[in-house]
Amino acid sequence: MTETALTNPIEPPARPAGWQGIAADWSSDQRAFKNVSWGKAMMWIFLLSDTFIFSCFLLSYMTARMSTTVPWPNPSEVFALTIGDKKIPLILIAIMTFVLISSSGTMAMAVNFGYRRDRFKTAALMLATAAFGATFVGMQAFEWTKLIMEGVRPWGNPWGAAQFGASFFMITGFHGTHVTIGVIFLIAIARKVWRGDFDVERRGFFTSRRGYYEIVEITGLYWHFVDLVWVFIFALFYLW
Amino acid sequence: MTNAAVHIETQQPALHEALASGAAHAKGQQHPIKLYLVVWGWLFVLSTCSYLVDYFGLQGYLRWSLILLFMVLKAGLIVAVFMHMAWERLALAYAILLPPVLVLVFVAIMVFESDYTHLLRVIFFAPTA
């Protein structure tokens, strides 16, 4: 009972909204995040720290690109694919973007069905999300292979500024790692949903805490963040 | 004293709203599926738009401002609706969303720094030809 109260609290007195709400929530000896469980708050704080990591990568890329005197390779041409006999700029990256956005869509619906306690739809949508994620990683592996075959290395490439390869492998590699971890995370949680762990509040094998459908939303937060980072990489690295 | 009383009274509607949203929260985030489908559609449209910027080969400030515009709109939709930040209390929203904004200061610093590095490279390392 006490644990239910901890993860899903209902505050007896109403809290003020707006700016007064911020001051009231943060002040005195109490929890700052009133209606958010520790699991969700910690995922948000982890995502904030991850934001700083990706910010540093994108910043170092910006610094390298702005300070080099050698022309930067044109991403529009570097990432073009020849389909049939037409050369289409950036097409693989565009498809990867749509795949990742679609995975975010299915994830958002999985969270929704989770709170409705529709476990089969939730698990199916989470597995669809994982499948989209795996497709994305597969396409990224294809892209890396193609570029490495063409002679792109972290220390140089055939088209221009040497820092291009280092920035590319570092940024997309780190993002791809995040997607891969997300796929594993999704499959692990989808299995628990499918088995009905959260209907009976079965205790976790490792943490021995009761499981709730909220973990689907927490997994979703991580997954949407991965999509969010891709939005920035797509705009700043591929399109700029 | 009377001032304080008036102040508290004006807060009453806001308090009611907070209570209502708090009660909704207790059951987790519940929004119609249609909302997610609409946002999904918009993300597709915005991604297509940013791809078209490259496809049609727009250049210069037009290109950069369009890229940034579509990027910010997409990021906003994902954070606000998919990650449910629009329905969280402001204490959480500001705690999470303000620090990344401060990264822009870092961006400004590095813009100056790389301009300076570029200048030095042009002056001292430019190929003599």
Side-chain angles (χ1 to χ4, degrees), chain A residues 92-108 128-140 172 175-176 178-180 182-183 186 220 222-234 238, chain B residues 40 43-44 47 74 78 82:
Chain A
L92 182 67
I93 312 303
I95 297 170
M96 283 163 80
T97 305
F98 288 123
V99 167
L100 212 54
I101 286 175
S102 301
S103 78
S104 255
T106 52
M107 186 70 235
T129 310
F132 277 125
T135 310
F136 179 89
V137 177
M139 290 164 91
Q140 199 170 42
T172 61
H175 179 262
H178 274 75
V179 179
T180 311
V183 169
L186 278 167
Y222 178 82
W223 191 260
H224 294 310
F225 175 77
V226 167
D227 186 23
L228 185 67
V229 170
W230 183 254
V231 168
F232 285 85
I233 296 175
F234 180 58
Y238 291 100
Chain B
W40 194 351
L43 288 173
F44 260 79
S47 298
K74 277 164 73 180
I78 292 172
F82 280 180

Side-chain angles (χ1 to χ4, degrees), chain A residues 110-216:
Chain A
V111 173
N112 205 287
F113 283 112
Y115 281 130
R116 294 181 197 188
R117 299 183 154 266
D118 188 337
R119 65 191 169 105
F120 292 116
K121 269 188 191 149
T122 309
L125 281 165
M126 287 181 87
L127 289 176
T129 310
F132 277 125
T135 310
F136 179 89
V137 177
M139 290 164 91
Q140 199 170 42
F142 171 77
E143 184 198 18
W144 274 47
T145 313
K146 182 172 167 286
L147 256 69
I148 292 170
M149 302 273 263
E150 287 170 349
V152 180
R153 297 289 183 273
W155 53 85
N157 64 75
W159 310 294
Q163 298 96 323
F164 175 82
S167 305
F168 172 76
F169 289 124
M170 193 72 194
I171 294 172
T172 61
F174 216 80
H175 179 262
T177 310
H178 274 75
V179 179
T180 311
I181 293 169
V183 169
I184 296 166
F185 192 18
L186 278 167
I187 292 172
I189 301 299
R191 175 172 166 266
K192 289 184 168 216
V193 172
W194 192 274
R195 204 167 54 180
D197 281 18
F198 305 129
D199 289 330
V200 295
E201 293 177 9
R202 178 170 163 161
R203 286 181 185 277
F205 149 76
F206 190 63
T207 57
S208 64
R209 281 176 173 277
R210 291 183 192 283
Y212 300 100
Y213 274 103
E214 193 185 32
I215 190 67
V216 181

Side-chain angles (χ1 to χ4, degrees), chain B residues 24-56:
Chain B
H25 236 299
K27 289 181 218 130
Q29 295 276 355
Q30 272 296 359
H31 310 289
I33 290 284
K34 195 185 164 207
L35 175 70
Y36 296 117
L37 292 175
V38 168
V39 170
W40 194 351
W42 272 108
L43 288 173
F44 260 79
V45 170
L46 290 169
S47 298
T48 310
C49 288
S50 48
Y51 176 65
L52 289 179
V53 168
D54 188 68
Y55 192 82
F56 291 123

Side-chain angles (χ1 to χ4, degrees), chain A residues 8-22 25-26 32-36 40-41 44-45 47-48 51-52 55-56 59 62-64 66-69 74-76 86 88-91 94 97-99 101-106 108-109 111-113 115-116 132 163 217 220-222 224-225 227-228 231-232 234-236 238-240, chain B residues 7 11 14-19 21-23 25-33 36-37 39-40 43-45 47-48 50-51 53-55 59 63-65 67-68 70-72 74-76 78-79 81-85 87-97 99-100 103 106-108 110-115 117-119 121-122 125 127:
Chain A
N8 236 342
I10 302 163
E11 298 290 328
R15 307 287 312 177
W19 281 103
Q20 280 161 332
I22 295 180
D25 287 7
W26 276 97
F33 305 130
K34 301 299 173 193
N35 47 13
V36 172
K40 202 160 134 186
W44 269 115
I45 289 163
L47 294 181
L48 177 60
T51 306
F52 290 138
S55 302
C56 287
L59 262 168
M62 180 197 83
T63 310
M66 280 185 77
S67 62
T68 177
T69 49
N74 183 358
S76 186
K86 262 181 74 184
I88 308 171
L90 223 56
I91 184 70
T97 305
F98 288 123
V99 167
I101 286 175
S102 301
S103 78
S104 255
T106 52
M109 296 201 292
V111 173
N112 205 287
F113 283 112
Y115 281 130
R116 294 181 197 188
F132 277 125
Q163 298 96 323
E217 189 183 359
L221 283 180
Y222 178 82
H224 294 310
F225 175 77
D227 186 23
L228 185 67
V231 168
F232 285 85
F234 180 58
L236 301 173
Y238 291 100
L239 290 176
W240 202 257
Chain B
H7 198 65
Q11 278 184 2
L15 284 175
H16 260 287
E17 232 172 283
L19 185 66
S21 74
H25 236 299
K27 289 181 218 130
Q29 295 276 355
Q30 272 296 359
H31 310 289
I33 290 284
Y36 296 117
L37 292 175
V39 170
W40 194 351
L43 288 173
F44 260 79
V45 170
S47 298
T48 310
S50 48
Y51 176 65
V53 168
D54 188 68
Y55 192 82
Q59 294 302 333
R63 179 193 186 93
W64 296 327
S65 48
I67 289 173
L68 288 181
F70 295 136
M71 179 186 85
V72 169
K74 277 164 73 180
I78 292 172
V79 174
V81 181
F82 280 180
M83 299 173 96
H84 297 139
M85 199 49 121
W87 297 279
E88 299 292 357
R89 283 186 63 77
L90 276 181
L92 179 72
Y94 280 73
I96 300 300
L97 299 180
V103 170
F106 197 1
V107 172
M110 290 319 287
V111 165
F112 286 118
E113 170 71 15
S114 36
D115 274 345
T117 313
H118 186 259
L119 179 72
R121 283 175 176 167
V122 168
F125 299 106

